DNA sequence: CGCGGTGTTGATACATTTCAAAATTTGTGG
DNA sequence: CCACAAATTTTGAAATGTATCAACACCGCG
């Protein structure tokens, strides 16, 4: 691909460009951001409460969860983050974490210095706006999680979560689809505010109904329409679906 | 007050300045933002799903709630908003609402055109950053609501909510304190994911324990320390407490 | 004075939790 | 490639927190 740029930042530039208009110039400035990658072992927290950070963590590969916990030590996840998510972008404006970030599988993160990000936002208002917008989409998802946990029963909750993750993973929204999601039932419990035992029973119901099943870290949706129905799922809050999620868009290629 | 400026925007400039460093120049630019006020009647929705907006709504006076609803029509609030909150600031970057905004009492809002706000963020990166930061504090609160609804029992949930609102209202964090919060028990139910009947019983428990009571739209906290304890409340996520919440800070006075 | 919205209380039903044990899968070192 | 240990999933029975349904009390307000 003659003239195209290559950078660790690429998936994140693509993500931003999917939601905000960015000039080629903006995109190159983003792709040129200093960064280093880091491997996080399964189950390790890589952002901790009370430990201010000076770089933002993006998820290059793997699966992470944002979490808080109650006094009894029970965790409640407030977000799942997958490849391409700028999980920690908001730390640019709030460097003091109010929730932690944990790798649920071995995860490769990209660490980008706040200083460089802030320099970009200072000089490029369009980039600043794109960052802000990206964070607000995350916030919209969090708000949906409140609804999910607050006003839906276990079956509906699970269905909604599966729908959300299917959409975010870019799984084809066809009647039948499949995607890899490396969560344990305990992780799903911490995301839905249920116990892992009840997650198990709930999954069994969905499986027995022939709607969806999880086997070997793979979600298989047998009947997308019905799952969507059960989960009361409307994907509007997720923003526009990525057109070609895993490939380099033309806008980044230098003609 | 010779030389000081006066503007409907004032409380919001103060709020922003409490969390972000803004030059006097920035503050004046903010205060000069075009705006018009509007009275919203009790129970009216003033931001509705599927109706794109081109101005942001700030709460000048009154009480509002952000909400979504499940398929059965049950509402779940995802935020309460009080005087001084820029309830809708994020609409600048996401003009298509994914949740609604409802006035719970007669509420006076300030409507500020997106165009003007965007013009400010284009020319003043410090203001853009302040807006972004403000939105992220709201998002941190939403994340806490997920934890509240997901991993705490009714009594703990109510206690946490009362603590949060006390702090946000700027009620003195002394053993005994009082603040006006015009919510019905049904509103509290929609915020905590409980039924109004159970909210009633839960409040009775807190009352009988001598911890807190609500009478005539006034929250009375008898034992702040114990309420904080019960609610597992740590106010870090709310950002720095406003120093002198309801008065004009020196930084806005023109020497 | 009566009426609608709100708060209160009781009885019962039910979804989810808790506790416990067994089955299964996954990972690891020999 | 097997054997074993650890983690995860599965299932059952009993306990419990919250919802549901229903009636009544209260209060502000026209």
């Amino acid at each position: 691909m003659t003239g195209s740029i290559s950078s660790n930042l690429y998936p994140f530039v693509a993500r931003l460009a999917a939601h905000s208009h960015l000039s080629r110039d903006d995109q190159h400035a983003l792709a040129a951001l200093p960064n280093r990658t880091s491997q996080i072992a399964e189950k390790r927290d890589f952002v901790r409460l009370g430990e201010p950070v000076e770089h933002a963590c993006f998820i290059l590969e793997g699966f992470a969860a944002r979490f808080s916990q109650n006094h009894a030590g029970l965790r409640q996840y407030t977000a799942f983050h997958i490849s391409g998510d700028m999980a920690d972008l908001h730390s640019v404006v709030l460097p003091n974490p109010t929730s932690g970030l944990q790798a649920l599988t071995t995860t490769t993160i990209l660490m980008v210095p706040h200083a460089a990000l802030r320099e970009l936002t200072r000089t490029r208002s369009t980039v600043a706006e794109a960052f802000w917008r990206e964070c607000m989409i995350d916030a919209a998802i969090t708000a949906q999680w409140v609804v999910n946990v607050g006003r839906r029963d276990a079956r509906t909750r699970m269905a909604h979560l599966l729908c959300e993750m299917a959409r975010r993973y870019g799984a084809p929204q066809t009647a039948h689809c499949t995607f890899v999601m490396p969560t344990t039932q305990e992780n799903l419990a911490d995301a839905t505010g249920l116990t892992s035992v009840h997650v198990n029973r709930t999954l069994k119901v969905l499986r027995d109904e022939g709607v969806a099943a999880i086997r070997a870290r793979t979600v298989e949706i047998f009947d997308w329409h019905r799952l969507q129905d059960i989960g009361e799922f409307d994907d509007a809050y997720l923003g526009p679906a990525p057109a070609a999620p895993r490939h380099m868009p033309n806008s980044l290629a230098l003609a």
Side-chain angles (χ1 to χ4, degrees), chain A:
Chain A
M1 281 207 193
T2 326
S4 69
I5 61 173
S6 132
S7 153
N8 278 333
L9 269 303
Y10 163 66
F12 309 104
V13 181
R15 168 71 61 92
L16 290 168
H19 298 145
S20 306
H21 176 76
L22 292 175
S23 70
R24 196 165 308 179
D25 226 39
D26 289 334
Q27 297 190 34
H28 278 96
L30 282 163
L33 241 15
N35 66 87
R36 62 191 196 75
T37 61
S38 170
Q39 283 256 114
I40 312 290
E42 205 176 329
K43 290 184 195 173
R44 277 214 49 220
D45 297 354
F46 57 99
V47 170
R48 268 172 294 272
L49 256 68
E51 293 184 13
V53 293
E54 64 238 355
H55 49 258
C57 297
F58 302 162
I59 311 292
L60 209 45
E61 200 55 56
F63 196 94
R66 179 166 295 283
F67 68 92
S68 299
Q69 36 196 120
N70 74 358
H71 234 54
L74 269 181
R75 287 197 166 192
Q76 171 70 49
Y77 294 151
T78 56
F80 279 152
H81 285 299
I82 66 178
S83 307
D85 283 0
M86 305 166 84
D88 211 19
L89 182 54
H90 63 259
S91 67
V92 173
V93 292
L94 292 180
N96 228 299
T98 57
S99 55
L101 232 27
Q102 181 187 37
L104 298 192
T105 64
T106 307
T107 294
T108 311
I109 62 170
L110 208 67
M111 296 166 65
V112 182
H114 285 166
L117 289 163
R118 210 171 295 117
E119 178 58 26
L120 258 197
T121 61
R122 201 163 22 234
T123 54
R124 295 177 180 276
S125 65
T126 47
V127 171
E129 185 177 322
F131 283 170
W132 180 9
R133 178 171 298 113
E134 209 56 30
C135 283
M136 293 328 293
I137 292 176
D138 273 359
I141 297 177
T142 309
Q144 278 296 321
W145 281 39
V146 176
V147 180
N148 211 32
V149 165
R151 285 289 184 222
R152 302 208 246 250
D153 66 17
R155 174 163 160 276
T156 307
R157 247 182 253 190
M158 266 309 308
H160 193 277
L161 181 61
L162 291 180
C163 286
E164 177 184 313
M165 295 315 291
R167 237 293 307 255
R168 287 174 57 195
Y169 266 113
Q173 329 252 314
T174 50
H176 182 282
C177 73
T178 270
F179 61 98
V180 174
M181 183 173 73
T183 50
T184 64
Q185 294 183 0
E186 199 167 336
N187 294 330
L188 294 173
D190 288 339
T192 52
L194 302 167
T195 57
S196 61
V197 172
H198 202 61
V199 165
N200 185 283
R201 298 195 221 271
T202 304
L203 288 175
K204 182 177 164 57
V205 170
L206 290 175
R207 195 186 327 133
D208 292 349
E209 291 179 316
V211 177
I214 307 183
R215 271 173 16 242
R217 312 283 117 123
T218 301
V219 179
E220 188 167 8
I221 298 174
F222 303 116
D223 189 339
W224 168 260
H225 184 70
R226 224 156 95 60
L227 187 68
Q228 200 170 7
D229 233 50
I230 294 171
E232 307 180 348
F233 181 73
D234 173 357
D235 70 358
Y237 70 98
L238 290 172
R246 302 286 180 252
H247 307 101
M248 174 166 291
N250 291 332
S251 53
L252 244 187
L254 303 176

